[in-house]
Amino acid sequence: MSRFTGEMLSRAEELVSLYPDPRSATIPLCHLAQEQDGYVTNEAMAHIAELVGSSAAEVQGTASFYDMLKLEPVGQYVIGVCTNIACMLRGAYELLEDAEAVLDTPVGATTPDGLFTLEEVECIAHCDRAPAAQVNYRYFGPLDRPSFETLVAKLRNGELDDEVPPHGTLLRVRREAPGVIPMEEIDRYRAQEAEREKQSD
Amino acid sequence: MTERIVGARLQYEDSATLERFLATGGDDGLRKAVLEMRPEEVAAEVMTANLLGRGGAGFEAGRKWSMLRKAPRRYLVINGDESEPATFKDHLLVERDPHQLVEGATIAAYAIEASFVVIYLRGEFALGLERVQQAINEAYARNALGRSIFGSSFSVDIVLQPGAGAYICGEETSLIESLEGKRGFPRIKPPYFPAVIGLYGEPTIVNNVETVSNLPWIINRGGEAFKELGQGRSTGTRLFALSGQVQRPGPYEVEMTKITFRDLIYGKEYGQGLHPDRSLLAFIPGGVSAPWFFPEHLDIPLGQDEVAKAGSMLGSGSVIVMDDSSCPVRSAWRIARFFARESCGQCTPCREGGAWIDKILRRIEEGEGREADLDLLLDLCDNISPGIKWPPAQTTICVLGPSIPPSVNAAIQHFRDDFLIHIKEGRCPHA
């Protein structure tokens, strides 16, 4: 299930069709691969390369650069505790220790049941709710040990399923537009506009 | 009560909905632009407004547009890769007023006659991404995007691009590389501006989210009205992100130059001061790339030139407050660590220097520091940014590296005794 098939394939092809240059779809396709498999598999990278007209090595070169793209399996919920300065000043490192204790797992590891991966992350732009954390990039804060425990409990029993989809699902809102206007049409059109401008001056 | 521009709708709970947007003047600016004005007239209004870029560098948006190389194809990219620590204003704007962003982006596209627009948002903004996509969908549905917008002769598409977690992608040439499907490596300069060679080698304008969010207001009310707010080069309002050890951290939109840092940190309608029995140690006026300010700087107004004159910058408009319970060594280390982790690795001074500074500061912080460390730190800073001056000199392709020394230097110069206690006694005086 690592190559795109069925609905995922049609979504992948649609992403490729949006850009003047198909390679621009590389990162969106990596996100799509994570939505399908939870992480970016080697097979998915090879398929992405075919779809955008580059090589698997180039796709891996790109994917390995970005923090959100995981090249190995992660938990169903990736919890990122921000420890950057604004959160640090309000107790982020204490929260990170609490998180390790509550999840009974060290930073960077996944719980044995495969549910949670704990990460220490850089500023997530939620500084007015410091100390903050993200679960699959949905934001929570300010947090302390009790509220973190509650958050984990709710994730476990499915209370937050609507708010927090499994890791990899980023955009649940699909693009619903007529197809992108072909660049050539825009080119012609802008040329005509320029011509009209010239004549009216 | 200050005039609200980009944050005008934030008073409403449902600010992100199309209903609220349309009930509060939404689309008016875009309609006026495409139906009553020529592109160059729109650009002229923005020039008159003297709208400074809100992404950090503070370059005039109108002037940036005027540098666009004449070519049949040109692109517009909206930079929403907000990742500078303690900056969260764009996060707010994309989540709470996505329609305004789409309208502003479309106005900018019209002004520069863009062939194609990409809104590049930080990948971590899951909710913001969904809301902006929804706003784009709704814009197409009412012909505010796509072919012949509102019946005019202007057509353009906007595509939403999620980032994937890299601070460096906020640097405009790096963002473009990322958008071409590559690693976020800043491009070698010159050319200094993507307006000459940008996306796919074509002329490209990269504007920040807050910058274009100002455009509907500017078109509706005129560049002159915008310029009447603030003073000097600092026109209009800015959304300041206040964080750290204040009673009420949050986003506050204020008229430029009209209030001081003291007002922002201590004012009743703003930060409401520090926690009782704490005093101010330092604050950073413009994101972690900026040199620190101290209590004697509290009365400086929030204006571009005023802050620059005092030796720092407004940058991305994030004010970080540290009280005397915090340790300046630890703060400097945490900031340096951020840059060390986020360095793209292309340039040796930043990649190696940043990593060394991180390690040395951590060593000091953990009570393992050495007498020679302070000189060593400054020497490393000098290698990354010769002279450790402000604005910083550069030995690197982009300014990520030169953003490391300001904090490290400020902390060492101002809190040398704290460093020495860490080094000599192996303890933290603030613990």
Short mmCIF file of all heavy atoms in Angstrom, two decimals, chain B residues 277-334:
data_model
loop_
_atom_site.label_atom_id
_atom_site.label_comp_id
_atom_site.label_asym_id
_atom_site.label_seq_id
_atom_site.Cartn_x
_atom_site.Cartn_y
_atom_site.Cartn_z
N ASP B 277 6.03 40.87 42.36
CA ASP B 277 7.36 40.63 42.95
C ASP B 277 8.41 40.11 41.94
O ASP B 277 9.40 39.52 42.32
CB ASP B 277 7.34 39.76 44.25
CG ASP B 277 6.50 38.50 44.11
OD1 ASP B 277 5.89 38.44 43.16
OD2 ASP B 277 6.40 37.59 44.90
N ARG B 278 8.18 40.36 40.66
CA ARG B 278 9.24 40.09 39.66
C ARG B 278 9.61 41.41 38.99
O ARG B 278 8.75 42.29 38.85
CB ARG B 278 8.73 39.11 38.60
CG ARG B 278 8.62 37.69 39.09
CD ARG B 278 9.98 37.12 39.34
NE ARG B 278 9.95 35.86 40.07
CZ ARG B 278 11.00 35.39 40.73
NH1 ARG B 278 12.12 36.08 40.77
NH2 ARG B 278 10.93 34.24 41.35
N SER B 279 10.86 41.52 38.58
CA SER B 279 11.23 42.73 37.84
C SER B 279 11.76 42.34 36.46
O SER B 279 12.11 41.18 36.22
CB SER B 279 12.27 43.53 38.63
OG SER B 279 13.42 42.74 38.81
N LEU B 280 11.83 43.34 35.61
CA LEU B 280 12.20 43.08 34.21
C LEU B 280 13.71 42.87 34.08
O LEU B 280 14.51 43.70 34.50
CB LEU B 280 11.76 44.27 33.35
CG LEU B 280 12.01 44.15 31.85
CD1 LEU B 280 11.17 43.04 31.23
CD2 LEU B 280 11.72 45.47 31.13
N LEU B 281 14.08 41.76 33.47
CA LEU B 281 15.49 41.47 33.25
C LEU B 281 15.90 42.01 31.87
O LEU B 281 16.86 42.75 31.74
CB LEU B 281 15.71 39.96 33.30
CG LEU B 281 17.13 39.45 33.10
CD1 LEU B 281 17.91 39.51 34.40
CD2 LEU B 281 17.11 38.01 32.58
N ALA B 282 15.14 41.62 30.86
CA ALA B 282 15.42 42.04 29.48
C ALA B 282 14.20 41.74 28.64
O ALA B 282 13.30 41.01 29.07
CB ALA B 282 16.62 41.28 28.94
N PHE B 283 14.14 42.33 27.45
CA PHE B 283 13.11 41.92 26.49
C PHE B 283 13.69 42.00 25.09
O PHE B 283 14.65 42.71 24.84
CB PHE B 283 11.84 42.77 26.64
CG PHE B 283 11.99 44.24 26.35
CD1 PHE B 283 11.64 44.77 25.12
CD2 PHE B 283 12.48 45.11 27.33
CE1 PHE B 283 11.77 46.13 24.86
CE2 PHE B 283 12.62 46.47 27.08
CZ PHE B 283 12.27 46.99 25.84
N ILE B 284 13.12 41.20 24.20
CA ILE B 284 13.61 41.19 22.83
C ILE B 284 12.53 41.82 21.97
O ILE B 284 11.38 41.39 22.00
CB ILE B 284 13.93 39.75 22.35
CG1 ILE B 284 14.73 38.99 23.42
CG2 ILE B 284 14.71 39.79 21.04
CD1 ILE B 284 15.11 37.57 23.04
N PRO B 285 12.90 42.88 21.22
CA PRO B 285 11.85 43.65 20.54
C PRO B 285 11.36 43.12 19.21
O PRO B 285 10.34 43.56 18.72
CB PRO B 285 12.52 45.01 20.34
CG PRO B 285 13.96 44.70 20.23
CD PRO B 285 14.21 43.50 21.09
N GLY B 286 12.07 42.15 18.61
CA GLY B 286 11.64 41.78 17.26
C GLY B 286 11.96 40.36 16.86
O GLY B 286 12.48 40.12 15.77
N GLY B 287 11.66 39.40 17.71
CA GLY B 287 12.00 38.02 17.38
C GLY B 287 13.44 37.73 17.78
O GLY B 287 14.22 38.64 18.03
N VAL B 288 13.79 36.44 17.83
CA VAL B 288 15.07 36.06 18.44
C VAL B 288 16.30 36.41 17.59
O VAL B 288 17.42 36.20 18.03
CB VAL B 288 15.11 34.57 18.81
CG1 VAL B 288 14.04 34.24 19.85
CG2 VAL B 288 14.96 33.69 17.59
N SER B 289 16.10 36.96 16.40
CA SER B 289 17.25 37.42 15.61
C SER B 289 17.70 38.80 16.07
O SER B 289 18.75 39.28 15.65
CB SER B 289 16.89 37.50 14.13
OG SER B 289 16.42 36.28 13.66
N ALA B 290 16.90 39.45 16.90
CA ALA B 290 17.17 40.85 17.25
C ALA B 290 18.01 40.96 18.52
O ALA B 290 17.86 40.16 19.44
CB ALA B 290 15.84 41.58 17.45
N PRO B 291 18.88 41.97 18.57
CA PRO B 291 19.60 42.26 19.82
C PRO B 291 18.61 42.57 20.94
O PRO B 291 17.54 43.13 20.69
CB PRO B 291 20.43 43.50 19.47
CG PRO B 291 20.59 43.44 17.99
CD PRO B 291 19.33 42.85 17.47
N TRP B 292 18.99 42.22 22.17
CA TRP B 292 18.09 42.39 23.31
C TRP B 292 17.99 43.85 23.74
O TRP B 292 18.91 44.64 23.54
CB TRP B 292 18.61 41.58 24.51
CG TRP B 292 18.61 40.10 24.28
CD1 TRP B 292 18.36 39.46 23.10
CD2 TRP B 292 18.92 39.08 25.24
NE1 TRP B 292 18.48 38.09 23.28
CE2 TRP B 292 18.82 37.83 24.57
CE3 TRP B 292 19.25 39.09 26.59
CZ2 TRP B 292 19.06 36.61 25.21
CZ3 TRP B 292 19.49 37.88 27.24
CH2 TRP B 292 19.39 36.64 26.56
N PHE B 293 16.86 44.16 24.37
CA PHE B 293 16.67 45.45 25.03
C PHE B 293 16.59 45.20 26.54
O PHE B 293 16.31 44.08 26.98
CB PHE B 293 15.37 46.11 24.55
CG PHE B 293 15.55 46.97 23.31
CD1 PHE B 293 14.43 47.52 22.67
CD2 PHE B 293 16.81 47.26 22.78
CE1 PHE B 293 14.58 48.31 21.53
CE2 PHE B 293 16.96 48.06 21.64
CZ PHE B 293 15.84 48.58 21.02
N PHE B 294 16.81 46.31 27.29
CA PHE B 294 16.84 46.21 28.75
C PHE B 294 15.91 47.28 29.33
O PHE B 294 15.37 48.09 28.58
CB PHE B 294 18.29 46.37 29.22
CG PHE B 294 19.19 45.37 28.54
CD1 PHE B 294 19.97 45.73 27.44
CD2 PHE B 294 19.18 44.04 28.93
CE1 PHE B 294 20.75 44.79 26.77
CE2 PHE B 294 19.95 43.09 28.27
CZ PHE B 294 20.74 43.47 27.19
N PRO B 295 15.71 47.29 30.65
CA PRO B 295 14.75 48.24 31.21
C PRO B 295 14.92 49.68 30.72
O PRO B 295 13.94 50.40 30.54
CB PRO B 295 14.99 48.13 32.72
CG PRO B 295 15.41 46.70 32.90
CD PRO B 295 16.23 46.38 31.68
N GLU B 296 16.17 50.09 30.44
CA GLU B 296 16.35 51.48 30.00
C GLU B 296 15.78 51.74 28.61
O GLU B 296 15.70 52.89 28.17
CB GLU B 296 17.83 51.89 30.06
CG GLU B 296 18.76 51.14 29.11
CD GLU B 296 19.49 49.97 29.78
OE1 GLU B 296 18.92 49.35 30.71
OE2 GLU B 296 20.63 49.68 29.37
N HIS B 297 15.37 50.70 27.90
CA HIS B 297 14.81 50.88 26.56
C HIS B 297 13.28 50.90 26.54
O HIS B 297 12.67 50.98 25.49
CB HIS B 297 15.28 49.75 25.63
CG HIS B 297 16.76 49.74 25.38
ND1 HIS B 297 17.61 48.86 26.01
CD2 HIS B 297 17.54 50.50 24.57
CE1 HIS B 297 18.86 49.07 25.60
NE2 HIS B 297 18.84 50.06 24.72
N LEU B 298 12.66 50.81 27.72
CA LEU B 298 11.21 50.66 27.78
C LEU B 298 10.44 51.81 27.12
O LEU B 298 9.33 51.61 26.64
CB LEU B 298 10.75 50.51 29.24
CG LEU B 298 10.87 49.10 29.82
CD1 LEU B 298 10.62 49.14 31.33
CD2 LEU B 298 9.89 48.14 29.14
N ASP B 299 11.02 52.99 27.10
CA ASP B 299 10.27 54.14 26.60
C ASP B 299 10.46 54.40 25.12
O ASP B 299 10.03 55.42 24.59
CB ASP B 299 10.58 55.37 27.44
CG ASP B 299 10.08 55.16 28.87
OD1 ASP B 299 8.92 54.71 29.02
OD2 ASP B 299 10.85 55.40 29.82
N ILE B 300 11.08 53.46 24.43
CA ILE B 300 11.22 53.58 22.97
C ILE B 300 9.87 53.22 22.33
O ILE B 300 9.25 52.23 22.70
CB ILE B 300 12.33 52.64 22.46
CG1 ILE B 300 13.69 53.13 22.99
CG2 ILE B 300 12.35 52.57 20.94
CD1 ILE B 300 14.82 52.17 22.75
N PRO B 301 9.42 54.06 21.38
CA PRO B 301 8.16 53.75 20.71
C PRO B 301 8.30 52.56 19.75
O PRO B 301 9.39 52.27 19.27
CB PRO B 301 7.84 55.02 19.91
CG PRO B 301 8.88 56.02 20.26
CD PRO B 301 10.02 55.31 20.91
N LEU B 302 7.19 51.89 19.50
CA LEU B 302 7.17 50.75 18.59
C LEU B 302 7.16 51.25 17.15
O LEU B 302 6.12 51.31 16.51
CB LEU B 302 5.94 49.88 18.85
CG LEU B 302 5.83 49.27 20.25
CD1 LEU B 302 4.47 48.67 20.48
CD2 LEU B 302 6.90 48.21 20.44
N GLY B 303 8.31 51.63 16.67
CA GLY B 303 8.46 52.11 15.29
C GLY B 303 9.75 51.58 14.71
O GLY B 303 10.72 51.36 15.43
N GLN B 304 9.71 51.39 13.40
CA GLN B 304 10.85 50.81 12.69
C GLN B 304 12.16 51.56 12.98
O GLN B 304 13.14 50.98 13.43
CB GLN B 304 10.55 50.89 11.19
CG GLN B 304 11.41 50.01 10.33
CD GLN B 304 10.76 48.67 10.08
OE1 GLN B 304 9.75 48.31 10.68
NE2 GLN B 304 11.33 47.90 9.18
N ASP B 305 12.15 52.87 12.73
CA ASP B 305 13.39 53.65 12.85
C ASP B 305 13.79 53.89 14.29
O ASP B 305 14.96 53.92 14.63
CB ASP B 305 13.23 54.98 12.13
CG ASP B 305 13.10 54.79 10.62
OD1 ASP B 305 13.52 53.72 10.11
OD2 ASP B 305 12.58 55.69 9.95
N GLU B 306 12.78 54.05 15.17
CA GLU B 306 13.05 54.31 16.58
C GLU B 306 13.82 53.14 17.19
O GLU B 306 14.77 53.32 17.94
CB GLU B 306 11.73 54.54 17.34
CG GLU B 306 10.99 55.82 16.96
CD GLU B 306 10.21 55.76 15.64
OE1 GLU B 306 10.29 54.73 14.92
OE2 GLU B 306 9.52 56.75 15.31
N VAL B 307 13.38 51.92 16.84
CA VAL B 307 14.02 50.73 17.38
C VAL B 307 15.39 50.52 16.74
O VAL B 307 16.36 50.15 17.40
CB VAL B 307 13.11 49.48 17.19
CG1 VAL B 307 13.84 48.21 17.59
CG2 VAL B 307 11.84 49.64 18.02
N ALA B 308 15.47 50.81 15.44
CA ALA B 308 16.75 50.67 14.74
C ALA B 308 17.79 51.62 15.33
O ALA B 308 18.96 51.24 15.52
CB ALA B 308 16.56 50.94 13.24
N LYS B 309 17.36 52.84 15.62
CA LYS B 309 18.28 53.83 16.20
C LYS B 309 18.85 53.35 17.53
O LYS B 309 19.99 53.65 17.88
CB LYS B 309 17.55 55.16 16.42
CG LYS B 309 18.06 56.25 15.47
CD LYS B 309 17.86 57.68 15.92
CE LYS B 309 16.47 58.02 16.42
NZ LYS B 309 15.50 58.33 15.34
N ALA B 310 18.04 52.61 18.27
CA ALA B 310 18.49 52.12 19.57
C ALA B 310 19.29 50.82 19.45
O ALA B 310 19.66 50.22 20.45
CB ALA B 310 17.29 51.92 20.48
N GLY B 311 19.54 50.38 18.21
CA GLY B 311 20.44 49.25 18.02
C GLY B 311 19.79 47.88 17.95
O GLY B 311 20.45 46.86 18.14
N SER B 312 18.48 47.84 17.65
CA SER B 312 17.85 46.54 17.46
C SER B 312 16.89 46.63 16.28
O SER B 312 17.05 47.48 15.42
CB SER B 312 17.14 46.09 18.74
OG SER B 312 16.73 44.74 18.60
N MET B 313 15.88 45.78 16.23
CA MET B 313 14.92 45.85 15.14
C MET B 313 13.55 45.37 15.58
O MET B 313 13.43 44.60 16.53
CB MET B 313 15.40 45.02 13.95
CG MET B 313 15.45 43.53 14.20
SD MET B 313 15.67 42.62 12.66
CE MET B 313 15.75 40.93 13.27
N LEU B 314 12.55 45.84 14.86
CA LEU B 314 11.19 45.36 15.12
C LEU B 314 10.96 44.00 14.49
O LEU B 314 10.07 43.26 14.89
CB LEU B 314 10.15 46.35 14.56
CG LEU B 314 9.71 47.47 15.47
CD1 LEU B 314 8.57 48.23 14.83
CD2 LEU B 314 9.28 46.96 16.84
N GLY B 315 11.76 43.71 13.45
CA GLY B 315 11.72 42.39 12.84
C GLY B 315 10.32 41.91 12.56
O GLY B 315 9.55 42.55 11.85
N SER B 316 9.99 40.77 13.15
CA SER B 316 8.70 40.16 12.88
C SER B 316 7.64 40.62 13.88
O SER B 316 6.55 40.06 13.93
CB SER B 316 8.86 38.64 12.93
OG SER B 316 9.57 38.26 14.09
N GLY B 317 7.97 41.62 14.70
CA GLY B 317 6.96 42.16 15.61
C GLY B 317 6.65 41.27 16.80
O GLY B 317 5.54 41.26 17.30
N SER B 318 7.67 40.53 17.26
CA SER B 318 7.42 39.70 18.44
C SER B 318 8.24 40.20 19.59
O SER B 318 9.45 40.35 19.47
CB SER B 318 7.77 38.25 18.19
OG SER B 318 8.40 38.11 16.99
N VAL B 319 7.59 40.47 20.69
CA VAL B 319 8.25 41.00 21.87
C VAL B 319 8.27 39.91 22.95
O VAL B 319 7.22 39.42 23.36
CB VAL B 319 7.52 42.26 22.37
CG1 VAL B 319 8.22 42.83 23.60
CG2 VAL B 319 7.47 43.31 21.26
N ILE B 320 9.48 39.52 23.33
CA ILE B 320 9.64 38.45 24.31
C ILE B 320 10.13 39.05 25.62
O ILE B 320 11.14 39.76 25.64
CB ILE B 320 10.69 37.42 23.81
CG1 ILE B 320 10.32 36.94 22.41
CG2 ILE B 320 10.80 36.25 24.78
CD1 ILE B 320 11.50 36.39 21.63
N VAL B 321 9.40 38.79 26.69
CA VAL B 321 9.71 39.40 27.97
C VAL B 321 10.33 38.38 28.92
O VAL B 321 9.81 37.29 29.11
CB VAL B 321 8.43 39.99 28.61
CG1 VAL B 321 8.73 40.58 29.98
CG2 VAL B 321 7.83 41.05 27.69
N MET B 322 11.48 38.76 29.51
CA MET B 322 12.14 37.90 30.50
C MET B 322 12.16 38.62 31.83
O MET B 322 12.62 39.76 31.91
CB MET B 322 13.59 37.62 30.08
CG MET B 322 13.73 36.96 28.73
SD MET B 322 15.49 36.82 28.30
CE MET B 322 15.49 37.58 26.69
N ASP B 323 11.67 37.98 32.89
CA ASP B 323 11.76 38.61 34.20
C ASP B 323 12.98 38.06 34.93
O ASP B 323 13.69 37.20 34.42
CB ASP B 323 10.45 38.45 34.99
CG ASP B 323 10.19 37.02 35.48
OD1 ASP B 323 11.16 36.24 35.61
OD2 ASP B 323 9.02 36.68 35.72
N ASP B 324 13.20 38.55 36.16
CA ASP B 324 14.45 38.20 36.85
C ASP B 324 14.46 36.78 37.43
O ASP B 324 15.43 36.39 38.06
CB ASP B 324 14.78 39.24 37.91
CG ASP B 324 13.69 39.35 38.97
OD1 ASP B 324 12.59 38.79 38.75
OD2 ASP B 324 13.91 39.99 39.99
N SER B 325 13.40 36.03 37.19
CA SER B 325 13.46 34.61 37.59
C SER B 325 14.10 33.79 36.47
O SER B 325 14.43 32.62 36.66
CB SER B 325 12.05 34.07 37.86
OG SER B 325 11.34 33.94 36.64
N SER B 326 14.24 34.40 35.30
CA SER B 326 14.80 33.64 34.17
C SER B 326 16.30 33.84 34.11
O SER B 326 16.82 34.86 34.54
CB SER B 326 14.15 34.08 32.87
OG SER B 326 14.62 35.36 32.49
N CYS B 327 16.99 32.87 33.55
CA CYS B 327 18.44 32.92 33.47
C CYS B 327 18.86 33.36 32.07
O CYS B 327 18.52 32.69 31.09
CB CYS B 327 19.01 31.55 33.81
SG CYS B 327 20.76 31.42 33.40
N PRO B 328 19.59 34.46 31.96
CA PRO B 328 19.98 34.95 30.63
C PRO B 328 20.90 33.98 29.88
O PRO B 328 20.89 33.94 28.66
CB PRO B 328 20.69 36.27 30.93
CG PRO B 328 21.07 36.22 32.36
CD PRO B 328 20.06 35.34 33.04
N VAL B 329 21.68 33.21 30.63
CA VAL B 329 22.57 32.23 29.99
C VAL B 329 21.72 31.17 29.30
O VAL B 329 21.94 30.81 28.14
CB VAL B 329 23.50 31.56 31.04
CG1 VAL B 329 24.39 30.51 30.37
CG2 VAL B 329 24.34 32.61 31.75
N ARG B 330 20.71 30.72 30.02
CA ARG B 330 19.82 29.69 29.47
C ARG B 330 19.04 30.23 28.26
O ARG B 330 18.88 29.52 27.26
CB ARG B 330 18.85 29.27 30.59
CG ARG B 330 18.05 28.02 30.32
CD ARG B 330 17.35 27.63 31.62
NE ARG B 330 16.21 26.77 31.40
CZ ARG B 330 16.29 25.45 31.25
NH1 ARG B 330 17.46 24.87 31.25
NH2 ARG B 330 15.20 24.73 31.09
N SER B 331 18.59 31.47 28.36
CA SER B 331 17.85 32.05 27.24
C SER B 331 18.73 32.18 26.01
O SER B 331 18.32 31.85 24.89
CB SER B 331 17.27 33.42 27.62
OG SER B 331 16.28 33.26 28.61
N ALA B 332 19.96 32.65 26.21
CA ALA B 332 20.88 32.79 25.08
C ALA B 332 21.16 31.42 24.48
O ALA B 332 21.19 31.25 23.25
CB ALA B 332 22.18 33.44 25.54
N TRP B 333 21.34 30.41 25.36
CA TRP B 333 21.60 29.06 24.86
C TRP B 333 20.42 28.54 24.04
O TRP B 333 20.59 28.00 22.95
CB TRP B 333 21.86 28.08 26.03
CG TRP B 333 21.68 26.66 25.60
CD1 TRP B 333 22.48 25.96 24.75
CD2 TRP B 333 20.59 25.79 25.95
NE1 TRP B 333 21.95 24.70 24.55
CE2 TRP B 333 20.80 24.57 25.26
CE3 TRP B 333 19.45 25.94 26.77
CZ2 TRP B 333 19.91 23.49 25.37
CZ3 TRP B 333 18.58 24.85 26.89
CH2 TRP B 333 18.81 23.65 26.18
N ARG B 334 19.21 28.76 24.54
CA ARG B 334 18.04 28.20 23.86
C ARG B 334 17.85 28.84 22.48
O ARG B 334 17.46 28.18 21.52
CB ARG B 334 16.77 28.38 24.72
CG ARG B 334 15.58 27.59 24.19
CD ARG B 334 15.89 26.12 24.09
NE ARG B 334 14.84 25.35 23.43
CZ ARG B 334 14.73 25.20 22.11
NH1 ARG B 334 15.58 25.79 21.29
NH2 ARG B 334 13.76 24.46 21.59
#
